[in-house]
PDB file of all heavy atoms in Angstrom:
ATOM      1  N   ALA J 236       4.057  -1.949  15.737  1.00  0.00           N
ATOM      2  CA  ALA J 236       3.790  -3.192  16.472  1.00  0.00           C
ATOM      3  C   ALA J 236       4.784  -4.285  16.101  1.00  0.00           C
ATOM      4  O   ALA J 236       4.395  -5.410  15.767  1.00  0.00           O
ATOM      5  CB  ALA J 236       2.364  -3.652  16.210  1.00  0.00           C
ATOM      6  N   PRO J 237       6.092  -3.989  16.142  1.00  0.00           N
ATOM      7  CA  PRO J 237       7.069  -4.987  15.692  1.00  0.00           C
ATOM      8  C   PRO J 237       7.098  -6.212  16.589  1.00  0.00           C
ATOM      9  O   PRO J 237       7.106  -6.107  17.812  1.00  0.00           O
ATOM     10  CB  PRO J 237       8.400  -4.226  15.754  1.00  0.00           C
ATOM     11  CG  PRO J 237       8.180  -3.177  16.796  1.00  0.00           C
ATOM     12  CD  PRO J 237       6.736  -2.770  16.637  1.00  0.00           C
ATOM     13  N   ILE J 238       7.121  -7.376  15.957  1.00  0.00           N
ATOM     14  CA  ILE J 238       7.332  -8.609  16.700  1.00  0.00           C
ATOM     15  C   ILE J 238       8.824  -8.719  16.979  1.00  0.00           C
ATOM     16  O   ILE J 238       9.638  -8.748  16.052  1.00  0.00           O
ATOM     17  CB  ILE J 238       6.832  -9.830  15.913  1.00  0.00           C
ATOM     18  CG1 ILE J 238       5.360  -9.659  15.551  1.00  0.00           C
ATOM     19  CG2 ILE J 238       7.039 -11.103  16.714  1.00  0.00           C
ATOM     20  CD1 ILE J 238       4.426  -9.566  16.733  1.00  0.00           C
ATOM     21  N   PHE J 239       9.176  -8.772  18.263  1.00  0.00           N
ATOM     22  CA  PHE J 239      10.586  -8.769  18.648  1.00  0.00           C
ATOM     23  C   PHE J 239      10.790  -9.709  19.827  1.00  0.00           C
ATOM     24  O   PHE J 239      10.340  -9.420  20.936  1.00  0.00           O
ATOM     25  CB  PHE J 239      11.039  -7.357  19.033  1.00  0.00           C
ATOM     26  CG  PHE J 239      12.484  -7.288  19.462  1.00  0.00           C
ATOM     27  CD1 PHE J 239      13.504  -7.439  18.535  1.00  0.00           C
ATOM     28  CD2 PHE J 239      12.823  -7.080  20.802  1.00  0.00           C
ATOM     29  CE1 PHE J 239      14.838  -7.385  18.922  1.00  0.00           C
ATOM     30  CE2 PHE J 239      14.152  -7.021  21.192  1.00  0.00           C
ATOM     31  CZ  PHE J 239      15.163  -7.170  20.255  1.00  0.00           C
ATOM     32  N   PRO J 240      11.453 -10.851  19.595  1.00  0.00           N
ATOM     33  CA  PRO J 240      11.801 -11.753  20.698  1.00  0.00           C
ATOM     34  C   PRO J 240      13.201 -11.413  21.222  1.00  0.00           C
ATOM     35  O   PRO J 240      14.204 -11.730  20.565  1.00  0.00           O
ATOM     36  CB  PRO J 240      11.770 -13.133  20.031  1.00  0.00           C
ATOM     37  CG  PRO J 240      12.134 -12.861  18.598  1.00  0.00           C
ATOM     38  CD  PRO J 240      11.743 -11.442  18.288  1.00  0.00           C
ATOM     39  N   PRO J 241      13.332 -10.753  22.367  1.00  0.00           N
ATOM     40  CA  PRO J 241      14.652 -10.309  22.825  1.00  0.00           C
ATOM     41  C   PRO J 241      15.691 -11.421  22.899  1.00  0.00           C
ATOM     42  O   PRO J 241      16.871 -11.201  22.625  1.00  0.00           O
ATOM     43  CB  PRO J 241      14.366  -9.731  24.215  1.00  0.00           C
ATOM     44  CG  PRO J 241      12.915  -9.376  24.194  1.00  0.00           C
ATOM     45  CD  PRO J 241      12.268 -10.372  23.311  1.00  0.00           C
ATOM     46  N   LEU J 242      15.257 -12.625  23.242  1.00  0.00           N
ATOM     47  CA  LEU J 242      16.180 -13.758  23.393  1.00  0.00           C
ATOM     48  C   LEU J 242      15.961 -14.798  22.306  1.00  0.00           C
ATOM     49  O   LEU J 242      16.266 -15.981  22.490  1.00  0.00           O
ATOM     50  CB  LEU J 242      16.012 -14.385  24.778  1.00  0.00           C
ATOM     51  CG  LEU J 242      16.255 -13.441  25.960  1.00  0.00           C
ATOM     52  CD1 LEU J 242      16.040 -14.166  27.285  1.00  0.00           C
ATOM     53  CD2 LEU J 242      17.657 -12.840  25.903  1.00  0.00           C
ATOM     54  N   GLY J 243      15.454 -14.371  21.169  1.00  0.00           N
ATOM     55  CA  GLY J 243      15.227 -15.295  20.064  1.00  0.00           C
ATOM     56  C   GLY J 243      16.530 -15.854  19.513  1.00  0.00           C
ATOM     57  O   GLY J 243      17.620 -15.353  19.803  1.00  0.00           O
ATOM     58  N   PRO J 244      16.452 -16.897  18.687  1.00  0.00           N
ATOM     59  CA  PRO J 244      17.662 -17.561  18.180  1.00  0.00           C
ATOM     60  C   PRO J 244      18.454 -16.679  17.229  1.00  0.00           C
ATOM     61  O   PRO J 244      17.897 -15.883  16.484  1.00  0.00           O
ATOM     62  CB  PRO J 244      17.107 -18.794  17.467  1.00  0.00           C
ATOM     63  CG  PRO J 244      15.717 -18.419  17.078  1.00  0.00           C
ATOM     64  CD  PRO J 244      15.216 -17.527  18.176  1.00  0.00           C
ATOM     65  N   SER J 245      19.764 -16.850  17.254  1.00  0.00           N
ATOM     66  CA  SER J 245      20.650 -16.103  16.362  1.00  0.00           C
ATOM     67  C   SER J 245      21.047 -16.892  15.132  1.00  0.00           C
ATOM     68  O   SER J 245      21.380 -16.311  14.098  1.00  0.00           O
ATOM     69  CB  SER J 245      21.919 -15.672  17.116  1.00  0.00           C
ATOM     70  OG  SER J 245      21.622 -14.720  18.115  1.00  0.00           O
ATOM     71  N   THR J 246      21.016 -18.222  15.226  1.00  0.00           N
ATOM     72  CA  THR J 246      21.501 -19.062  14.129  1.00  0.00           C
ATOM     73  C   THR J 246      20.351 -19.844  13.509  1.00  0.00           C
ATOM     74  O   THR J 246      19.387 -20.199  14.188  1.00  0.00           O
ATOM     75  CB  THR J 246      22.582 -20.029  14.621  1.00  0.00           C
ATOM     76  OG1 THR J 246      22.054 -20.808  15.707  1.00  0.00           O
ATOM     77  CG2 THR J 246      23.807 -19.279  15.107  1.00  0.00           C
ATOM     78  N   PRO J 247      20.452 -20.142  12.218  1.00  0.00           N
ATOM     79  CA  PRO J 247      19.356 -20.842  11.539  1.00  0.00           C
ATOM     80  C   PRO J 247      19.320 -22.318  11.898  1.00  0.00           C
ATOM     81  O   PRO J 247      20.353 -22.926  12.193  1.00  0.00           O
ATOM     82  CB  PRO J 247      19.682 -20.645  10.061  1.00  0.00           C
ATOM     83  CG  PRO J 247      21.166 -20.480  10.018  1.00  0.00           C
ATOM     84  CD  PRO J 247      21.518 -19.749  11.279  1.00  0.00           C
ATOM     85  N   PRO J 248      18.138 -22.918  11.838  1.00  0.00           N
ATOM     86  CA  PRO J 248      18.033 -24.376  11.966  1.00  0.00           C
ATOM     87  C   PRO J 248      18.419 -25.030  10.650  1.00  0.00           C
ATOM     88  O   PRO J 248      18.682 -24.353   9.652  1.00  0.00           O
ATOM     89  CB  PRO J 248      16.549 -24.574  12.270  1.00  0.00           C
ATOM     90  CG  PRO J 248      15.889 -23.453  11.528  1.00  0.00           C
ATOM     91  CD  PRO J 248      16.835 -22.288  11.615  1.00  0.00           C
ATOM     92  N   THR J 249      18.454 -26.331  10.641  1.00  0.00           N
ATOM     93  CA  THR J 249      18.645 -27.054   9.390  1.00  0.00           C
ATOM     94  C   THR J 249      17.375 -26.935   8.561  1.00  0.00           C
ATOM     95  O   THR J 249      16.272 -27.205   9.041  1.00  0.00           O
ATOM     96  CB  THR J 249      18.955 -28.539   9.660  1.00  0.00           C
ATOM     97  OG1 THR J 249      20.143 -28.632  10.449  1.00  0.00           O
ATOM     98  CG2 THR J 249      19.155 -29.298   8.361  1.00  0.00           C
ATOM     99  N   LEU J 250      17.538 -26.484   7.325  1.00  0.00           N
ATOM    100  CA  LEU J 250      16.392 -26.244   6.457  1.00  0.00           C
ATOM    101  C   LEU J 250      16.256 -27.351   5.419  1.00  0.00           C
ATOM    102  O   LEU J 250      17.261 -27.908   4.976  1.00  0.00           O
ATOM    103  CB  LEU J 250      16.550 -24.890   5.753  1.00  0.00           C
ATOM    104  CG  LEU J 250      16.624 -23.666   6.669  1.00  0.00           C
ATOM    105  CD1 LEU J 250      16.911 -22.413   5.836  1.00  0.00           C
ATOM    106  CD2 LEU J 250      15.336 -23.492   7.449  1.00  0.00           C
ATOM    107  N   PRO J 251      15.024 -27.662   4.986  1.00  0.00           N
ATOM    108  CA  PRO J 251      13.763 -27.127   5.491  1.00  0.00           C
ATOM    109  C   PRO J 251      13.396 -27.736   6.842  1.00  0.00           C
ATOM    110  O   PRO J 251      13.782 -28.868   7.142  1.00  0.00           O
ATOM    111  CB  PRO J 251      12.755 -27.514   4.412  1.00  0.00           C
ATOM    112  CG  PRO J 251      13.301 -28.784   3.839  1.00  0.00           C
ATOM    113  CD  PRO J 251      14.800 -28.618   3.868  1.00  0.00           C
ATOM    114  N   VAL J 252      12.645 -26.991   7.627  1.00  0.00           N
ATOM    115  CA  VAL J 252      12.216 -27.438   8.949  1.00  0.00           C
ATOM    116  C   VAL J 252      10.931 -28.254   8.806  1.00  0.00           C
ATOM    117  O   VAL J 252      10.007 -27.864   8.096  1.00  0.00           O
ATOM    118  CB  VAL J 252      11.972 -26.227   9.866  1.00  0.00           C
ATOM    119  CG1 VAL J 252      11.368 -26.656  11.194  1.00  0.00           C
ATOM    120  CG2 VAL J 252      13.284 -25.480  10.099  1.00  0.00           C
ATOM    121  N   SER J 253      10.878 -29.385   9.480  1.00  0.00           N
ATOM    122  CA  SER J 253       9.681 -30.227   9.425  1.00  0.00           C
ATOM    123  C   SER J 253       8.466 -29.466   9.937  1.00  0.00           C
ATOM    124  O   SER J 253       8.571 -28.670  10.875  1.00  0.00           O
ATOM    125  CB  SER J 253       9.885 -31.492  10.256  1.00  0.00           C
ATOM    126  OG  SER J 253      10.926 -32.278   9.734  1.00  0.00           O
ATOM    127  N   GLY J 254       7.323 -29.708   9.322  1.00  0.00           N
ATOM    128  CA  GLY J 254       6.100 -29.034   9.739  1.00  0.00           C
ATOM    129  C   GLY J 254       5.089 -29.012   8.618  1.00  0.00           C
ATOM    130  O   GLY J 254       4.825 -30.037   7.991  1.00  0.00           O
ATOM    131  N   PHE J 255       4.553 -27.848   8.323  1.00  0.00           N
ATOM    132  CA  PHE J 255       3.535 -27.668   7.292  1.00  0.00           C
ATOM    133  C   PHE J 255       3.709 -26.269   6.708  1.00  0.00           C
ATOM    134  O   PHE J 255       4.216 -25.372   7.377  1.00  0.00           O
ATOM    135  CB  PHE J 255       2.130 -27.831   7.882  1.00  0.00           C
ATOM    136  CG  PHE J 255       1.890 -26.964   9.081  1.00  0.00           C
ATOM    137  CD1 PHE J 255       1.444 -25.660   8.944  1.00  0.00           C
ATOM    138  CD2 PHE J 255       2.156 -27.426  10.363  1.00  0.00           C
ATOM    139  CE1 PHE J 255       1.256 -24.844  10.045  1.00  0.00           C
ATOM    140  CE2 PHE J 255       1.982 -26.612  11.474  1.00  0.00           C
ATOM    141  CZ  PHE J 255       1.526 -25.325  11.321  1.00  0.00           C
ATOM    142  N   PRO J 256       3.270 -26.030   5.476  1.00  0.00           N
ATOM    143  CA  PRO J 256       3.501 -24.713   4.859  1.00  0.00           C
ATOM    144  C   PRO J 256       2.416 -23.678   5.097  1.00  0.00           C
ATOM    145  O   PRO J 256       2.686 -22.484   4.955  1.00  0.00           O
ATOM    146  CB  PRO J 256       3.581 -25.038   3.364  1.00  0.00           C
ATOM    147  CG  PRO J 256       2.876 -26.330   3.203  1.00  0.00           C
ATOM    148  CD  PRO J 256       2.960 -27.070   4.498  1.00  0.00           C
ATOM    149  N   THR J 257       1.201 -24.083   5.463  1.00  0.00           N
ATOM    150  CA  THR J 257       0.066 -23.166   5.385  1.00  0.00           C
ATOM    151  C   THR J 257      -0.693 -23.038   6.695  1.00  0.00           C
ATOM    152  O   THR J 257      -1.063 -24.039   7.312  1.00  0.00           O
ATOM    153  CB  THR J 257      -0.930 -23.625   4.301  1.00  0.00           C
ATOM    154  OG1 THR J 257      -0.225 -23.938   3.109  1.00  0.00           O
ATOM    155  CG2 THR J 257      -1.976 -22.558   4.033  1.00  0.00           C
ATOM    156  N   HIS J 258      -0.947 -21.800   7.102  1.00  0.00           N
ATOM    157  CA  HIS J 258      -1.937 -21.481   8.133  1.00  0.00           C
ATOM    158  C   HIS J 258      -3.177 -20.927   7.434  1.00  0.00           C
ATOM    159  O   HIS J 258      -3.103 -20.394   6.318  1.00  0.00           O
ATOM    160  CB  HIS J 258      -1.425 -20.404   9.091  1.00  0.00           C
ATOM    161  CG  HIS J 258      -0.373 -20.859  10.040  1.00  0.00           C
ATOM    162  ND1 HIS J 258      -0.619 -21.718  11.087  1.00  0.00           N
ATOM    163  CD2 HIS J 258       0.957 -20.570  10.114  1.00  0.00           C
ATOM    164  CE1 HIS J 258       0.492 -21.928  11.773  1.00  0.00           C
ATOM    165  NE2 HIS J 258       1.469 -21.248  11.201  1.00  0.00           N
ATOM    166  N   VAL J 259      -4.324 -21.027   8.110  1.00  0.00           N
ATOM    167  CA  VAL J 259      -5.522 -20.367   7.603  1.00  0.00           C
ATOM    168  C   VAL J 259      -6.165 -19.557   8.723  1.00  0.00           C
ATOM    169  O   VAL J 259      -6.112 -19.926   9.895  1.00  0.00           O
ATOM    170  CB  VAL J 259      -6.551 -21.368   7.023  1.00  0.00           C
ATOM    171  CG1 VAL J 259      -5.996 -22.060   5.799  1.00  0.00           C
ATOM    172  CG2 VAL J 259      -7.012 -22.370   8.064  1.00  0.00           C
ATOM    173  N   LEU J 260      -6.752 -18.445   8.320  1.00  0.00           N
ATOM    174  CA  LEU J 260      -7.457 -17.557   9.233  1.00  0.00           C
ATOM    175  C   LEU J 260      -8.911 -17.494   8.817  1.00  0.00           C
ATOM    176  O   LEU J 260      -9.215 -17.318   7.636  1.00  0.00           O
ATOM    177  CB  LEU J 260      -6.839 -16.156   9.160  1.00  0.00           C
ATOM    178  CG  LEU J 260      -7.469 -15.054  10.022  1.00  0.00           C
ATOM    179  CD1 LEU J 260      -7.253 -15.327  11.498  1.00  0.00           C
ATOM    180  CD2 LEU J 260      -6.884 -13.692   9.641  1.00  0.00           C
ATOM    181  N   THR J 261      -9.815 -17.670   9.775  1.00  0.00           N
ATOM    182  CA  THR J 261     -11.237 -17.533   9.495  1.00  0.00           C
ATOM    183  C   THR J 261     -11.706 -16.134   9.888  1.00  0.00           C
ATOM    184  O   THR J 261     -11.045 -15.429  10.654  1.00  0.00           O
ATOM    185  CB  THR J 261     -12.058 -18.564  10.267  1.00  0.00           C
ATOM    186  OG1 THR J 261     -11.930 -18.317  11.680  1.00  0.00           O
ATOM    187  CG2 THR J 261     -11.586 -19.981   9.967  1.00  0.00           C
ATOM    188  N   ARG J 262     -12.851 -15.760   9.381  1.00  0.00           N
ATOM    189  CA  ARG J 262     -13.409 -14.467   9.755  1.00  0.00           C
ATOM    190  C   ARG J 262     -13.645 -14.411  11.258  1.00  0.00           C
ATOM    191  O   ARG J 262     -13.345 -13.398  11.902  1.00  0.00           O
ATOM    192  CB  ARG J 262     -14.721 -14.210   9.008  1.00  0.00           C
ATOM    193  CG  ARG J 262     -15.359 -12.849   9.316  1.00  0.00           C
ATOM    194  CD  ARG J 262     -16.769 -12.756   8.754  1.00  0.00           C
ATOM    195  NE  ARG J 262     -17.377 -11.457   9.012  1.00  0.00           N
ATOM    196  CZ  ARG J 262     -17.873 -11.087  10.189  1.00  0.00           C
ATOM    197  NH1 ARG J 262     -17.816 -11.906  11.236  1.00  0.00           N
ATOM    198  NH2 ARG J 262     -18.416  -9.878  10.336  1.00  0.00           N
ATOM    199  N   LYS J 263     -14.168 -15.487  11.837  1.00  0.00           N
ATOM    200  CA  LYS J 263     -14.410 -15.513  13.275  1.00  0.00           C
ATOM    201  C   LYS J 263     -13.102 -15.412  14.048  1.00  0.00           C
ATOM    202  O   LYS J 263     -13.009 -14.718  15.060  1.00  0.00           O
ATOM    203  CB  LYS J 263     -15.150 -16.790  13.674  1.00  0.00           C
ATOM    204  CG  LYS J 263     -15.515 -16.856  15.164  1.00  0.00           C
ATOM    205  CD  LYS J 263     -16.268 -18.123  15.493  1.00  0.00           C
ATOM    206  CE  LYS J 263     -16.734 -18.104  16.959  1.00  0.00           C
ATOM    207  NZ  LYS J 263     -15.625 -17.948  17.923  1.00  0.00           N
ATOM    208  N   GLY J 264     -12.066 -16.094  13.563  1.00  0.00           N
ATOM    209  CA  GLY J 264     -10.762 -16.026  14.232  1.00  0.00           C
ATOM    210  C   GLY J 264     -10.196 -14.622  14.224  1.00  0.00           C
ATOM    211  O   GLY J 264      -9.649 -14.146  15.224  1.00  0.00           O
ATOM    212  N   LEU J 265     -10.338 -13.941  13.082  1.00  0.00           N
ATOM    213  CA  LEU J 265      -9.873 -12.554  12.986  1.00  0.00           C
ATOM    214  C   LEU J 265     -10.653 -11.668  13.938  1.00  0.00           C
ATOM    215  O   LEU J 265     -10.074 -10.857  14.676  1.00  0.00           O
ATOM    216  CB  LEU J 265     -10.029 -12.065  11.549  1.00  0.00           C
ATOM    217  CG  LEU J 265      -9.741 -10.582  11.308  1.00  0.00           C
ATOM    218  CD1 LEU J 265      -8.284 -10.263  11.572  1.00  0.00           C
ATOM    219  CD2 LEU J 265     -10.127 -10.191   9.870  1.00  0.00           C
ATOM    220  N   ASP J 266     -11.973 -11.810  13.928  1.00  0.00           N
ATOM    221  CA  ASP J 266     -12.829 -10.978  14.769  1.00  0.00           C
ATOM    222  C   ASP J 266     -12.547 -11.210  16.250  1.00  0.00           C
ATOM    223  O   ASP J 266     -12.440 -10.259  17.038  1.00  0.00           O
ATOM    224  CB  ASP J 266     -14.295 -11.275  14.452  1.00  0.00           C
ATOM    225  CG  ASP J 266     -15.249 -10.245  15.048  1.00  0.00           C
ATOM    226  OD1 ASP J 266     -14.797  -9.133  15.389  1.00  0.00           O
ATOM    227  OD2 ASP J 266     -16.447 -10.546  15.165  1.00  0.00           O
ATOM    228  N   ASP J 267     -12.405 -12.466  16.649  1.00  0.00           N
ATOM    229  CA  ASP J 267     -12.174 -12.787  18.057  1.00  0.00           C
ATOM    230  C   ASP J 267     -10.847 -12.210  18.547  1.00  0.00           C
ATOM    231  O   ASP J 267     -10.771 -11.628  19.637  1.00  0.00           O
ATOM    232  CB  ASP J 267     -12.188 -14.298  18.269  1.00  0.00           C
ATOM    233  CG  ASP J 267     -13.585 -14.904  18.157  1.00  0.00           C
ATOM    234  OD1 ASP J 267     -14.558 -14.134  18.138  1.00  0.00           O
ATOM    235  OD2 ASP J 267     -13.685 -16.145  18.065  1.00  0.00           O
ATOM    236  N   ALA J 268      -9.780 -12.392  17.751  1.00  0.00           N
ATOM    237  CA  ALA J 268      -8.469 -11.881  18.156  1.00  0.00           C
ATOM    238  C   ALA J 268      -8.462 -10.365  18.235  1.00  0.00           C
ATOM    239  O   ALA J 268      -7.889  -9.772  19.159  1.00  0.00           O
ATOM    240  CB  ALA J 268      -7.399 -12.369  17.177  1.00  0.00           C
ATOM    241  N   TRP J 269      -9.111  -9.733  17.288  1.00  0.00           N
ATOM    242  CA  TRP J 269      -9.172  -8.270  17.247  1.00  0.00           C
ATOM    243  C   TRP J 269      -9.969  -7.741  18.433  1.00  0.00           C
ATOM    244  O   TRP J 269      -9.580  -6.773  19.097  1.00  0.00           O
ATOM    245  CB  TRP J 269      -9.798  -7.854  15.929  1.00  0.00           C
ATOM    246  CG  TRP J 269      -9.696  -6.410  15.564  1.00  0.00           C
ATOM    247  CD1 TRP J 269      -9.198  -5.388  16.329  1.00  0.00           C
ATOM    248  CD2 TRP J 269     -10.100  -5.824  14.324  1.00  0.00           C
ATOM    249  NE1 TRP J 269      -9.277  -4.199  15.639  1.00  0.00           N
ATOM    250  CE2 TRP J 269      -9.822  -4.444  14.405  1.00  0.00           C
ATOM    251  CE3 TRP J 269     -10.665  -6.332  13.164  1.00  0.00           C
ATOM    252  CZ2 TRP J 269     -10.104  -3.578  13.351  1.00  0.00           C
ATOM    253  CZ3 TRP J 269     -10.934  -5.472  12.118  1.00  0.00           C
ATOM    254  CH2 TRP J 269     -10.660  -4.104  12.216  1.00  0.00           C
TER     255      TRP J 269
END
Side-chain angles (χ1 to χ4, degrees):
I238 304 297
F239 179 71
L242 301 179
S245 293
T246 56
T249 300
L250 299 175
V252 173
S253 297
F255 53 87
T257 313
H258 287 290
V259 295
L260 178 67
T261 64
R262 182 191 181 283
K263 183 179 185 302
L265 173 65
D266 193 19
D267 288 348
W269 192 354

